[in-house]
Amino acid sequence: AQSVTQPDIHITVSEGASLELRCNYSYGATPYLFWYVQSPGQGLQLLLKYFSGDTLVQGIKGFEAEFKRSQSSFNLRKPSVHWSDAAEYFCAVGISSGGSYIPTFGRGTSLIVHP
Amino acid sequence: ETGVTQSPTHLIKTRGQQVTLRCSSQSGHNTVSWYQQALGQGPQFIFQYYREEENGRGNFPPRFSGLQFPNYSSELNVNALELDDSALYLCASSLEREGLEHFGDGTRLSIL
């Protein structure tokens, strides 16, 4: 079974600083890869996804992520964080097998932004 | 374009009761997934329905069941509620099975 690890439970950055959120997955092949953001009391919003092709993907709100097959990683980055980016971030992988689709989410990283 | 809507937004039940949660998928989407998100955790996949058929199931007992209707809306039914079923239940729809999922704001279920 696939698994997703987000090693940082909390990350604190200053507004304007750069950000990198880590995500590692365990699966024999390349899965579909996603990053979502969740504000308190709300559902998840898709930031970006990787299905195939260029390993550096651009998303909404100035986020990008890089797929590194050798490291089984899909880290999320942003060059300059805004206070409104404070939220919970989830990495997810999706596996398609025998016609069924099984997604797995990490436990999330809480981003705190200091003024 | 109407997004994913879930009802009710909040629900309180007692142990042993049954509950039905509802989800209207985004216009044109034929796939619906349901997730359970416990406090402080990531969403856990319950199951997915694609064109009214179950298309994948996570590690949840049979008392968690679902339906998808011809208009692609969906229901999640949970029987014999347990305290650990207290969570935010999220519905997500997509155009195809491995597509980009759009989430609703969830139903907060509390079990007393």
Side-chain angles (χ1 to χ4, degrees):
Chain A
Q2 70 270 25
S3 65
V4 180
T5 301
Q6 293 181 248
D8 304 305
I9 297 176
H10 303 282
I11 282 195
T12 301
V13 299
S14 298
E15 192 169 15
S18 63
L19 171 70
E20 183 169 30
L21 302 182
R22 297 183 289 165
C23 173
N24 292 93
Y25 67 90
S26 173
Y27 183 61
T30 300
Y32 304 129
L33 296 162
F34 307 87
W35 274 100
Y36 290 88
V37 62
Q38 185 179 36
S39 297
Q42 298 197 353
L44 280 69
Q45 181 182 23
L46 179 69
L47 288 175
L48 46 78
K49 83 287 182 188
Y50 175 79
F51 284 3
S52 65
D54 192 348
T55 57
L56 183 64
V57 292
Q58 301 298 320
I60 62 171
K61 303 185 179 188
F63 286 93
E64 67 176 27
E66 185 172 12
F67 168 57
K68 293 186 177 180
R69 186 189 309 274
S70 62
Q71 299 175 19
S72 296
S73 70
F74 189 56
N75 293 348
L76 182 71
R77 301 193 293 246
K78 186 170 185 177
S80 177
V81 170
H82 188 263
W83 64 267
S84 60
D85 293 324
E88 193 81 18
Y89 290 81
F90 294 96
C91 178
V93 303
I95 306 297
S96 183
S97 176
S100 294
Y101 177 70
I102 306 291
T104 301
F105 281 74
R107 62 175 298 162
T109 296
S110 178
L111 175 63
I112 300 164
V113 180
H114 281 167
Chain B
E1 176 178 272
T2 306
V4 178
T5 57
Q6 294 186 242
S7 62
T9 54
H10 297 85
L11 200 52
I12 300 174
K13 291 284 188 178
T14 57
R15 276 188 304 171
Q17 284 188 311
Q18 177 267 341
V19 70
T20 297
L21 309 182
R22 293 178 174 82
C23 173
S24 293
S25 59
Q26 184 163 317
S27 177
H29 286 185
N30 57 16
T31 306
V32 173
S33 300
W34 285 93
Y35 297 85
Q36 181 195 67
Q37 186 178 21
L39 202 59
Q41 302 292 320
Q44 285 198 49
F45 176 69
I46 303 174
F47 42 58
Q48 183 183 80
Y49 279 83
Y50 171 66
R51 298 189 178 189
E52 303 178 59
E53 298 287 332
E54 190 177 284
N55 184 53
R57 188 179 182 92
N59 190 26
F60 279 82
R63 60 189 185 84
F64 286 79
S65 63
L67 280 175
Q68 188 179 30
F69 300 100
N71 67 354
Y72 301 133
S73 66
S74 177
E75 285 183 355
L76 165 65
N77 298 289
V78 188
N79 294 322
L81 287 166
E82 301 176 359
L83 293 178
D84 284 349
D85 295 334
S86 294
L88 180 69
Y89 287 84
L90 294 165
C91 169
S93 73
S94 59
L95 181 55
E96 285 297 328
R97 286 169 288 182
E98 304 97 358
L100 308 176
E101 294 196 305
H102 296 253
F103 282 80
D105 286 339
T107 293
R108 173 72 61 186
L109 177 62
S110 299
I111 310 301
L112 303 179

